Amino acid sequence: MYRQGDILIMPVSEEAVPQPVRDQRPAPRDGRGRMVLALGEATGHAHALSAPGSLLRSSDPLAPDHLHLPSGGRLVHEEHAAITLPRGWYRVIRQREYVPGTVRVVAD
């Protein structure tokens, strides 16, 4: 299990990734060719990877995304130490916070 700021990255077996998730079209990369797991709305900083692979983003902002890294990769962010991720599948979870009456994703 890995944590970088408000992002939790949990290794999962390929069998644990639902087929509908694996069939999704990968999320587009940013202008620098990175897979951006989360973007800081206030700072513009990003939790991002420049590795081969795919980010399969859920349409529900509170549901986890999935990340496939066939060769591994390095997760970077301007305010956190880089994390080297081995090859494999991961569940990507954004930290949430309770606001009376609702739950929302934490924003930088």
Side-chain angles (χ1 to χ4, degrees):
M1 193 169 358
Y2 306 89
R3 179 171 292 284
Q4 189 183 67
D6 56 356
I7 299 293
L8 176 65
I9 302 164
M10 299 176 53
V12 295
S13 67
E14 185 172 356
E15 296 79 29
V17 179
Q19 189 63 46
V21 170
R22 286 185 278 167
D23 291 341
Q24 285 181 333
R25 182 176 300 183
R29 292 177 178 249
D30 72 358
R32 295 166 52 187
R34 305 175 305 168
M35 290 181 283
V36 176
L37 304 185
L39 182 63
E41 293 83 2
T43 63
H45 295 162
H47 298 274
L49 293 120
S50 296
S54 52
L55 175 61
L56 306 169
R57 189 158 316 274
S58 172
S59 59
D60 177 353
L62 296 178
D65 296 326
H66 287 81
L67 175 65
H68 181 230
L69 297 173
S71 307
R74 186 175 161 110
L75 180 64
V76 297
H77 185 279
E78 293 83 351
E79 297 174 337
H80 302 286
I83 298 172
T84 300
L85 299 171
R87 71 185 192 138
W89 282 90
Y90 297 90
R91 185 173 296 127
V92 180
I93 302 168
R94 295 274 312 263
Q95 183 174 329
R96 290 166 255 180
E97 64 185 348
Y98 175 76
V99 176
T102 190
V103 173
R104 68 179 184 183
V105 172
V106 172
D108 280 348

